[in-house]
Amino acid sequence: MQQAVEQQDALAPYRRLTIKIGSALLVDGKTGKLRADWLASLAEDLAALKARGVSLVIVSSGAIALGRRLLGLDAKVLPLEQSQAAASAGQIALSQAWASALGKHDITTGQILLTPNITEERRYFLNARTTISTLLSLGAVPIINENDSVATAEIRYGDNDRLSARVATMIEADCLILLSDIDGLYTAPPAKDPNATHLPFVAAITPEIEAMAGGAASHLSRGGMTTKVEAGRIATQAGTGMIIAKGTENHPLQALMEGGRHTLFAPVETRAQARKRWIMGTLELKGAVHVDAGAARALGEGKSLLPIGVTRLAGDFERGEAVAIYDPDGREIARGLATLRRDEADLVKGKNSARATELLGIGTRSEMVHRDNMVVLMGLEAKV
Ligand code: GLU
């Protein structure tokens, strides 16, 4: 039974992934050189995921680790100014490595360097999100790291685990994958406790789970299990799941697609998500609303459906009943709860909002389907 569960493709449910790659995977700890064969195998996995329609955003560490060797800095712990210099030299090598590895699969990469203020201040956040979303819509893969060479101690994440969780929530990824040197969360740090057992699934991050994480960081990356669980808290609270998996062997994502060992942290369902799941899954459809191209686009941008965009109606529905919404090509693009009854909808179809209000009487809401009561189907939905 356990066998059957483990062989499932752990990545099958996801359409938008953020994948965090730790320094210890990309850079050989002894030589300080890029693990080029490993990166090539990962690039193959990423190309396979992209081919099945998954949007990918990579958060890659490794700048400091690569830059150390380039600048001949070999002290075990570097002073801040030297690690910032190492990040500066190493980031160029890191970007080149990614561009070349994914370039072999005809995938274009874009580099984005972030600091905490960018992910936390609304104006910067919206701008960064738009850049990432534009890259995704153009078929490129954004490669993100912290802007280590200029970030000061006060405005620094210092670890890419939490940075990647912010990125995942920023783009509303379905799942954040942390590829690291350990295959998930154990009941205690396995290096310290030989009786520690692996947890395949964490339903909620409780103080008990946090206590299990209490481990130390490796010398190349700052993040130990504690920062991974903190990342899990950021991600899951925003409705994004998180997977911790071991990435050291070649083809680490293929391993997950073949059911490789990992820990999955379940996302916390928000009220809005629960409502949308209810609209999608539970309700019987009572009608069909056909819309023009402009309205179809507006729904993709998260807007409500207004009468002016409605071209044709079918079925017999009351206020609050479920309807399917179709684009001019007859594809179902959304489902939602009708604000208007069928006869009211007929009256205002194709009319602008002022005219619709006149026809329906002041005090009646004149949109066809309000965005809060609508689920835009995957593919069209401008999630970012
Ligand atoms: N941003 C750092 C780098 O690229 C790594 C931080 C981390 O490993 O979490 O070298």
Side-chain angles (χ1 to χ4, degrees):
M1 201 52 210
Q2 185 65 12
Q3 192 70 8
V5 171
E6 285 193 354
Q7 272 164 11
Q8 278 172 12
D9 177 349
L11 306 187
Y14 308 123
R15 286 288 153 269
R16 176 165 291 188
L17 290 172
T18 298
I19 301 163
K20 183 256 169 177
I21 321 285
S23 299
L25 306 183
L26 267 167
V27 184
D28 185 303
K30 290 201 188 77
T31 63
K33 287 192 189 158
L34 184 78
R35 294 178 67 220
D37 286 350
W38 179 84
L39 180 58
S41 82
L42 175 69
E44 271 179 41
D45 295 358
L46 292 169
L49 277 169
K50 204 158 177 298
R52 70 184 197 194
V54 180
S55 298
L56 301 167
V57 174
I58 308 285
V59 176
S60 175
S61 304
I64 297 174
L66 285 173
R68 278 172 160 272
R69 182 175 150 270
L70 295 170
L71 296 175
L73 301 167
D74 37 42
K76 203 166 176 199
V77 180
L78 297 180
L80 181 64
E81 65 276 13
Q82 287 189 5
S83 42
Q84 295 198 297
S88 162
Q91 186 61 40
I92 296 180
L94 188 61
S95 295
Q96 279 174 346
W98 278 108
S100 132
L102 286 174
K104 292 205 171 69
H105 300 274
D106 294 322
I107 298 171
T108 303
T109 47
Q111 173 184 277
I112 299 178
L113 300 177
L114 295 175
T115 42
N117 64 323
I118 297 177
T119 57
E120 277 151 27
E121 281 170 36
R122 184 113 191 112
R123 199 158 53 90
Y124 293 115
F125 171 94
L126 290 175
N127 202 30
R129 191 171 73 160
T130 304
T131 308
I132 296 171
S133 117
T134 306
L135 283 166
L136 290 177
S137 67
L138 294 169
V141 173
I143 311 285
I144 297 176
N145 196 358
E146 183 159 13
N147 196 352
D148 291 314
S149 47
V150 297
T152 60
E154 306 80 64
I155 56 148
R156 210 153 185 258
Y157 281 104
D159 69 87
N160 277 2
D161 293 327
R162 285 174 303 164
L163 172 67
S164 63
R166 292 273 177 225
V167 168
T169 60
M170 170 154 92
I171 61 154
E172 292 180 32
D174 319 298
C175 191
L176 164 66
I177 301 175
L178 300 182
L179 288 182
S180 92
D181 50 10
I182 184 159
D183 57 7
L185 181 67
Y186 284 73
T187 50
K192 290 189 198 146
D193 181 350
N195 296 322
T197 53
H198 177 265
L199 297 174
F201 182 70
V202 173
I205 299 175
T206 57
E208 200 187 354
I209 294 291
E210 279 170 347
M212 291 176 186
S218 83
H219 75 285
L220 279 181
S221 71
R222 282 161 225 272
M225 195 49 81
T226 309
T227 60
K228 290 183 175 42
V229 170
E230 272 177 48
R233 181 182 292 289
I234 296 167
T236 58
Q237 278 179 354
T240 297
M242 184 176 88
I243 285 176
I244 299 178
K246 185 166 171 156
T248 39
E249 300 301 315
N250 283 0
H251 294 293
L253 296 173
Q254 189 189 321
L256 279 173
M257 291 186 255
E258 289 167 0
R261 193 139 117 142
H262 61 276
T263 301
L264 170 65
F265 293 75
V268 175
E269 196 172 46
T270 61
R271 284 225 309 275
Q273 283 171 326
R275 183 167 177 76
K276 291 193 165 191
R277 188 167 48 72
W278 173 71
I279 291 172
M280 261 329 274
T282 330
L283 298 175
E284 193 191 333
L285 288 175
K286 292 293 172 62
V289 180
H290 295 262
V291 304
D292 62 19
R297 214 168 25 249
L299 298 194
E301 289 163 4
K303 301 198 173 120
S304 296
L305 176 59
L306 302 178
I308 192 156
V310 176
T311 54
R312 196 155 60 82
L313 294 155
D316 190 15
F317 48 88
E318 292 294 319
R319 290 183 189 170
E321 288 190 325
V323 292
I325 301 169
Y326 296 90
D327 73 4
D329 297 327
R331 277 180 310 205
E332 186 182 343
I333 53 170
R335 265 180 207 194
L337 309 181
T339 309
L340 303 175
R341 287 192 311 262
R342 169 69 203 262
D343 60 320
E344 293 169 326
D346 275 325
L347 198 63
V348 298
K349 169 185 86 176
K351 307 278 193 302
N352 69 31
S353 297
R355 181 74 187 124
T357 308
E358 254 173 53
L359 289 165
L360 292 168
I362 304 219
T364 309
R365 283 164 56 182
S366 67
E367 78 272 349
M368 261 310 302
V369 180
H370 191 271
R371 62 192 181 138
D372 290 347
N373 295 328
M374 179 157 43
V375 183
V376 179
L377 302 179
M378 224 56 198
L380 175 84
E381 190 165 18
K383 283 179 112 183
V384 295

